[in-house]
Coordinates of all heavy atoms in Angstrom, one line a residue:
M24 N 7.5 -21.3 -14.7 CA 6.2 -22.0 -15.0 C 5.1 -21.0 -14.7 O 4.9 -20.6 -13.6 CB 6.1 -23.2 -14.1 CG 4.8 -24.0 -14.3 SD 4.7 -25.4 -13.1 CE 6.2 -26.3 -13.5
V25 N 4.4 -20.6 -15.8 CA 3.3 -19.7 -15.6 C 2.0 -20.6 -15.4 O 1.6 -21.3 -16.3 CB 3.1 -18.8 -16.9 CG1 1.8 -18.0 -16.8 CG2 4.3 -18.0 -17.1
T26 N 1.4 -20.5 -14.3 CA 0.3 -21.4 -13.9 C -0.9 -20.5 -13.7 O -0.9 -19.7 -12.7 CB 0.6 -22.2 -12.7 OG1 1.8 -23.0 -12.9 CG2 -0.6 -23.2 -12.4
C27 N -2.0 -20.6 -14.4 CA -3.2 -19.8 -14.2 C -4.2 -20.7 -13.4 O -4.5 -21.8 -13.8 CB -3.8 -19.4 -15.5 SG -2.8 -18.2 -16.4
F28 N -4.7 -20.1 -12.3 CA -5.5 -20.9 -11.4 C -6.9 -20.2 -11.3 O -6.9 -19.0 -11.0 CB -4.9 -21.0 -10.1 CG -5.8 -21.6 -9.0 CD1 -6.1 -22.9 -9.0 CD2 -6.3 -20.8 -8.0 CE1 -6.9 -23.5 -8.1 CE2 -7.1 -21.3 -7.0 CZ -7.4 -22.6 -7.1
S29 N -8.0 -20.9 -11.6 CA -9.3 -20.3 -11.5 C -10.0 -20.9 -10.3 O -10.2 -22.1 -10.3 CB -10.1 -20.5 -12.8 OG -11.4 -20.2 -12.6
N30 N -10.4 -20.1 -9.3 CA -11.1 -20.6 -8.2 C -12.5 -21.1 -8.6 O -13.0 -22.0 -7.9 CB -11.2 -19.5 -7.1 CG -9.9 -19.3 -6.5 OD1 -9.2 -20.2 -6.0 ND2 -9.5 -18.0 -6.4
A31 N -13.1 -20.5 -9.6 CA -14.5 -20.9 -9.9 C -14.5 -22.2 -10.7 O -15.3 -23.1 -10.4 CB -15.1 -19.8 -10.8
Q32 N -13.6 -22.4 -11.6 CA -13.6 -23.6 -12.5 C -12.7 -24.7 -12.0 O -12.8 -25.8 -12.5 CB -13.3 -23.2 -13.9 CG -14.3 -22.2 -14.5 CD -13.9 -21.7 -15.9 OE1 -12.8 -22.1 -16.3 NE2 -14.7 -21.0 -16.6
E33 N -11.8 -24.4 -11.0 CA -10.9 -25.3 -10.5 C -10.1 -26.0 -11.7 O -9.8 -27.2 -11.7 CB -11.6 -26.4 -9.7 CG -12.3 -25.9 -8.5 CD -11.4 -25.4 -7.4 OE1 -10.2 -25.8 -7.4 OE2 -11.8 -24.5 -6.7
K34 N -9.6 -25.2 -12.6 CA -8.8 -25.7 -13.7 C -7.4 -25.0 -13.7 O -7.3 -23.9 -13.3 CB -9.5 -25.4 -15.1 CG -10.8 -26.2 -15.3 CD -11.4 -25.9 -16.6 CE -12.7 -26.7 -16.9 NZ -13.3 -26.4 -18.2
F35 N -6.5 -25.8 -14.2 CA -5.1 -25.3 -14.3 C -4.6 -25.2 -15.7 O -4.9 -26.1 -16.5 CB -4.2 -26.2 -13.5 CG -4.5 -26.3 -12.0 CD1 -5.5 -27.1 -11.5 CD2 -3.8 -25.5 -11.1 CE1 -5.8 -27.1 -10.2 CE2 -4.1 -25.5 -9.8 CZ -5.1 -26.4 -9.3
L36 N -3.9 -24.2 -16.0 CA -3.3 -24.1 -17.3 C -1.8 -23.9 -17.1 O -1.4 -22.9 -16.5 CB -3.9 -23.0 -18.2 CG -3.2 -22.7 -19.5 CD1 -3.3 -23.9 -20.4 CD2 -3.8 -21.5 -20.2
V37 N -1.0 -24.8 -17.5 CA 0.5 -24.7 -17.2 C 1.3 -24.5 -18.5 O 1.0 -25.1 -19.5 CB 1.0 -26.0 -16.5 CG1 2.5 -25.9 -16.2 CG2 0.2 -26.3 -15.2
Q38 N 2.2 -23.5 -18.4 CA 3.1 -23.3 -19.5 C 4.5 -23.1 -18.9 O 4.7 -22.4 -18.0 CB 2.7 -22.0 -20.2 CG 3.6 -21.6 -21.4 CD 3.1 -20.4 -22.1 OE1 2.1 -19.8 -21.7 NE2 3.9 -20.0 -23.1
R82 N 1.6 -14.5 -22.3 CA 2.7 -15.2 -21.5 C 3.8 -15.8 -22.4 O 4.5 -16.7 -22.0 CB 2.1 -16.3 -20.6 CG 1.0 -15.8 -19.6 CD 0.5 -17.0 -18.8 NE 0.0 -18.1 -19.6 CZ -1.2 -18.1 -20.2 NH1 -2.0 -17.0 -20.1 NH2 -1.6 -19.1 -20.9
F465 N -5.3 -21.3 -0.2 CA -4.5 -22.1 -1.2 C -3.1 -22.4 -0.6 O -2.7 -23.6 -0.7 CB -4.4 -21.3 -2.5 CG -3.5 -22.0 -3.5 CD1 -3.9 -23.2 -4.1 CD2 -2.3 -21.5 -3.9 CE1 -3.1 -23.8 -5.1 CE2 -1.5 -22.2 -4.8 CZ -1.9 -23.3 -5.4
S468 N -3.2 -25.1 2.1 CA -3.5 -26.5 1.6 C -2.2 -27.2 1.1 O -2.3 -28.4 0.8 CB -4.5 -26.4 0.5 OG -4.0 -25.8 -0.7
R469 N -1.1 -26.5 1.0 CA 0.1 -27.1 0.5 C 1.0 -27.6 1.6 O 0.9 -27.2 2.7 CB 0.8 -26.0 -0.4 CG 0.0 -25.5 -1.5 CD 0.5 -24.2 -2.0 NE 1.8 -24.3 -2.7 CZ 1.9 -24.7 -4.0 NH1 0.8 -25.0 -4.6 NH2 3.1 -24.8 -4.5
W487 N -0.2 -14.4 -7.9 CA 0.7 -14.8 -6.7 C 1.7 -15.7 -7.2 O 1.5 -16.7 -7.9 CB -0.2 -15.4 -5.6 CG 0.7 -15.9 -4.5 CD1 1.2 -15.1 -3.5 CD2 1.1 -17.2 -4.2 NE1 1.9 -15.9 -2.6 CE2 1.8 -17.2 -3.0 CE3 0.8 -18.4 -4.8 CZ2 2.4 -18.3 -2.4 CZ3 1.4 -19.6 -4.2 CH2 2.1 -19.5 -3.1
E489 N 5.5 -18.0 -6.5 CA 6.4 -18.6 -5.5 C 7.5 -19.3 -6.2 O 7.3 -19.8 -7.3 CB 5.6 -19.6 -4.6 CG 5.0 -20.8 -5.4 CD 4.5 -21.9 -4.5 OE1 5.0 -22.0 -3.4 OE2 3.6 -22.6 -4.9
K494 N 11.2 -28.3 -7.9 CA 11.2 -28.3 -9.4 C 12.2 -27.3 -10.0 O 12.4 -27.2 -11.2 CB 9.9 -27.9 -10.0 CG 8.8 -29.0 -9.6 CD 7.5 -28.6 -10.2 CE 6.4 -29.7 -10.0 NZ 5.1 -29.4 -10.6
V498 N 6.7 -20.3 -10.0 CA 5.4 -20.6 -10.4 C 4.4 -19.4 -10.1 O 4.5 -18.8 -9.1 CB 4.8 -21.8 -9.7 CG1 3.5 -22.2 -10.3 CG2 5.8 -23.0 -9.9
L499 N 3.6 -19.0 -11.1 CA 2.6 -18.0 -10.9 C 1.2 -18.6 -10.9 O 0.9 -19.4 -11.8 CB 2.7 -16.9 -12.1 CG 4.0 -16.1 -12.1 CD1 3.9 -15.1 -13.3 CD2 4.3 -15.4 -10.8
W500 N 0.4 -18.1 -10.0 CA -1.0 -18.6 -9.9 C -1.9 -17.4 -10.0 O -1.7 -16.3 -9.4 CB -1.2 -19.3 -8.5 CG -0.3 -20.4 -8.2 CD1 1.0 -20.3 -7.7 CD2 -0.5 -21.8 -8.5 NE1 1.5 -21.5 -7.6 CE2 0.6 -22.5 -8.0 CE3 -1.6 -22.5 -9.0 CZ2 0.7 -23.9 -8.1 CZ3 -1.5 -23.9 -9.0 CH2 -0.3 -24.5 -8.6
K501 N -3.0 -17.6 -10.7 CA -4.0 -16.5 -10.9 C -5.2 -16.7 -9.9 O -5.7 -17.8 -9.8 CB -4.5 -16.6 -12.4 CG -5.7 -15.7 -12.7 CD -6.2 -15.9 -14.1 CE -7.4 -15.0 -14.4 NZ -7.9 -15.3 -15.7
F502 N -5.6 -15.6 -9.3 CA -6.7 -15.6 -8.3 C -7.6 -14.4 -8.7 O -7.2 -13.3 -9.0 CB -6.2 -15.4 -6.9 CG -5.4 -16.5 -6.4 CD1 -4.1 -16.7 -6.6 CD2 -6.1 -17.5 -5.6 CE1 -3.4 -17.8 -6.1 CE2 -5.4 -18.6 -5.1 CZ -4.0 -18.7 -5.4

Side-chain angles (χ1 to χ4, degrees):
M24 184 184 299
V25 177
T26 306
C27 293
F28 173 72
S29 170
N30 289 308
Q32 300 177 352
E33 299 294 335
K34 291 182 179 179
F35 296 82
L36 175 63
V37 179
Q38 181 179 356
R82 302 180 305 281
F465 175 71
S468 67
R469 300 162 68 81
W487 175 77
E489 63 169 334
K494 295 182 178 181
V498 186
L499 295 182
W500 305 83
K501 173 184 175 181
F502 290 85

